[in-house]
Each structure stands twice: as C-alpha cells, then as structure tokens.
Amino acid sequence: MKHVCYTLVCVCCMGLWACKDKPSPSGDPKTDMYAASDTEDANSIITYNNAMIQLDDKRRSYLERVISNVSKVEEGLENPSSKLAFAVLMSPIYIAPIQRPGTSTDTPPSALETDDRDFFTSKGEEVSDKFDAIRESYKRLDEYVKAEDYKDDGGRKGNEIIDELIVLLEEYYTLNADLHRRLAVVSDGAERKILQDHPLKSYIFAAKDDFRAIDEFIKTGEAQGGSYAEHEAVFREKYDALETAHKKHSEMSPEGMKDYAGKEASFARFNEAVNSFLVTARRIMRDAASSGQLSDRQLEALSDEMNSVRNAYNHFVD
C-alpha cells in the first residue's frame, strides 16, 4: 500500500497538585505564559487536553484498522479470483469516548487565550470533518467489496476509492498533527503549573523528555514519506539524542521516590519500555539502511513500541 503516516501523541493523565512558586521557564513563550496561570485554569486545560487525547486514541484505533483493511483490499483487487482475497477483513468499529460532565472536545476552555480557543475550535472541526469523510469513504469501499462490484469493473472503482482514502488519511494526519502540536505546547505550560512543587517533578519531566524524543524520531519517519537513505543522518541524530537522554534518566537516583509506593518500580518499567523502543529502532534503522526505505509495517512497529512507552508513562504519573 502507498505510504500512510501514523501520528501518535502522549496522554497526560495528571492526578497531581500545584503550589505557589513560579515554574521554571521552558524556553517557549506560550508554554511559560500558561505555566504562570492560576491552578484552576491549569486544571481546566489539562482536563481538555486529556479529553482531546482520549478522542484521538479512539479515532486512531479505528483508522489503524481502516489502513490495514485498505491494504488488504488493494492486494485482493490485484487477484480477486483468489480464495483468500478479502477473506481476512475485520470491520473497523468506532465508538466515541464518553466525555466527563462539563467537558467538551468541541468547546475549548475559557482558560485558553482567544487565539488558542479559535485555533482549537476551527482545527478541531477540520479534523472531525476529515475523520467523518474517511468513515464515509471507507463505508463505500466496504460495500463495494461485499457486493463484489469488482467483478463488474475489474476493480476500477475500488482502486479509485482507495486512492481517495489515502489522500484523506494523509490530510487527516497532517491536520491532526498540527492540532496536537499546539495542544502539547499549551498543556505543557498548564502541566508545569500543576507540577511546579511536586516532589516527583524531576522524574516526570525526565519521562516527558524521553517520550517527546521518541515522538520526534517517529515524526522524522512520517515527514520523509518512508524515505530513509537520504535522511539517515537525521534519524541517527534523533536516535542518539534519545539514547543519551534515556541513559541519563535511567540512572536517576530513586531516593526521591521512596515515600511514594510503587513509583520507583513504575519509573523503572517506563525506562524498560524506552529501552525496548531503542532496541526496535536500532533493528529497523539497520534494515532501512539496507533497503533505503521505511515501510508502513516498520512504522507500525515503532508506533506499537511508542504505545507501550505511553502506557508506562501514564501508569507512572497517574
């Protein structure tokens, strides 16, 4: 199948508290601005962020199944007479997440600046419209296969729908990446406010830094459209940065966590998950260096590892 990028983002499930001192600067003016907000506003931003991430998770699960099915249909249309053609398709299911009372992914909180509220409102609508268009397009492809209409046109219409879906998917992931890139900046500021006096903040921000480095590594692959050979130096730079940070963070003293039951073990599991990502990344980089390309399957493998890191992160900070 033609290359389709996978964009993943980190869930920030913060059940933590805030205090009075000014948070340390992040280097991003917008992040620092929200880090200086009051605790109630910061909490409302984090709640909105978590709702948006939960929505994104539900959509991503659906889209990953769509992508898998589109690839199988594409193969089936090349040899429709095969007994195995279209035999292993599993219908994608999308169930919208249940939102907490008073929280809506359609309505950004008033704690956000006007330009940010406007951005998330308009960009959120664009992402939702694109997602709905993908669902409608895939429905037509599903009905085309079930009706065996490819027997009438030799697969022509099916391949047209597949091309349409690939464009929609790429547009969706681009829009969604724009939305979550800005959301990460805003929520990072609110998070700094919430965490500013928390005893475990150094460990939490260490984990966040590792996760952000993993995200950057995967986005490098997505941005290159599957090409590896021409951008190997960039991949190596991103990998080396993650490996260096991981080594430093995995050697952090556990003394600061001794009064928090289970946190030392969950931080260790997070570091193990990061190490597993590094192992997979090394193997994939070696293979990609030989072929010159990063396949969808390889990007999926990295995404699966990233999901494990995210789950370990959430368990640690929850």
Side-chain angles (χ1 to χ4, degrees), residues 274-291:
V274 175
N275 186 68
S276 179
F277 180 91
L278 289 168
V279 170
T280 299
R282 286 201 302 274
R283 171 174 54 79
I284 287 175
M285 289 168 68
R286 186 181 300 110
D287 293 343
S290 297
S291 66

Side-chain angles (χ1 to χ4, degrees), residues 88-291:
V88 291
L89 296 179
M90 295 178 60
S91 297
I93 299 174
Y94 174 70
I95 301 175
I98 299 174
Q99 298 186 19
R100 293 173 56 183
T103 301
S104 171
T105 52
D106 296 329
T107 308
S110 59
L112 292 170
E113 293 292 305
T114 301
D115 65 323
D116 289 321
R117 287 202 306 275
D118 291 346
F119 174 85
F120 291 123
T121 298
S122 62
K123 188 68 69 173
E125 288 176 354
E126 290 182 73
V127 173
S128 293
D129 289 346
K130 199 66 66 175
F131 180 74
D132 290 342
I134 291 169
R135 294 182 69 190
E136 177 59 33
S137 184
Y138 179 78
K139 180 182 177 183
R140 288 191 286 112
L141 180 64
D142 185 53
E143 292 173 349
Y144 174 87
V145 171
K146 288 178 177 177
E148 299 184 353
D149 289 335
Y150 49 84
K151 293 180 179 179
D152 298 329
D153 65 1
R156 178 187 58 80
K157 184 63 176 178
N159 282 305
E160 288 178 359
I161 299 174
I162 287 173
D163 288 341
E164 174 186 305
L165 271 167
I166 290 172
V167 171
L168 287 171
L169 284 161
E170 290 177 342
E171 290 174 345
Y172 172 87
Y173 282 118
T174 297
L175 289 168
N176 198 47
D178 289 343
L179 187 153
H180 285 280
R181 191 177 297 112
R182 187 154 175 176
L183 184 61
V185 172
V186 168
S187 62
D188 187 46
E191 197 172 49
R192 286 174 183 272
K193 174 66 178 182
I194 299 298
L195 291 172
Q196 61 184 299
D197 201 43
H198 194 278
L200 299 184
K201 68 177 181 180
S202 60
Y203 301 97
I204 293 170
F205 282 114
K208 281 173 61 68
D209 288 345
D210 280 355
F211 195 95
R212 187 173 288 118
I214 289 173
D215 187 45
E216 287 298 317
F217 182 88
I218 292 180
K219 284 178 179 175
T220 298
E222 296 167 352
Q224 308 310 330
S227 174
Y228 184 85
E230 297 179 10
H231 309 281
E232 185 171 2
V234 179
F235 282 99
R236 174 55 60 181
E237 178 186 355
K238 299 293 185 184
Y239 175 89
D240 289 346
L242 172 60
E243 186 177 54
T244 299
H246 169 63
K247 184 176 186 300
K248 176 183 176 182
H249 297 154
S250 61
E251 293 174 350
M252 292 176 69
S253 170
E255 281 297 308
M257 293 181 280
K258 64 182 180 180
D259 295 328
Y260 295 85
K263 291 303 181 185
E264 182 178 349
S266 61
F267 187 64
R269 284 194 292 272
F270 171 81
N271 285 322
E272 289 169 4
V274 175
N275 186 68
S276 179
F277 180 91
L278 289 168
V279 170
T280 299
R282 286 201 302 274
R283 171 174 54 79
I284 287 175
M285 289 168 68
R286 186 181 300 110
D287 293 343
S290 297
S291 66

Side-chain angles (χ1 to χ4, degrees), residues 7-79:
T7 302
L8 302 170
V9 289
C10 177
V11 179
C12 300
C13 298
M14 294 298 175
L16 305 172
W17 59 87
C19 232
K20 304 170 186 175
D21 299 331
K22 184 178 179 181
S24 57
S26 69
D28 186 294
K30 188 175 286 292
T31 294
D32 293 339
M33 177 185 70
Y34 284 111
S37 62
D38 65 39
T39 302
E40 184 177 351
D41 284 348
N43 277 322
S44 70
I45 293 170
I46 292 297
T47 298
Y48 173 72
N49 174 74
N50 290 343
M52 292 292 286
I53 297 297
Q54 185 182 35
L55 175 63
D56 185 69
D57 280 347
K58 293 285 189 179
R59 287 173 171 172
R60 186 177 68 248
S61 295
Y62 171 85
L63 294 176
E64 286 175 351
R65 175 56 57 190
V66 166
I67 291 168
S68 176
N69 282 1
V70 167
S71 180
K72 291 171 184 175
V73 170
E74 188 174 41
E75 292 174 3
L77 291 177
E78 293 176 357
N79 187 18

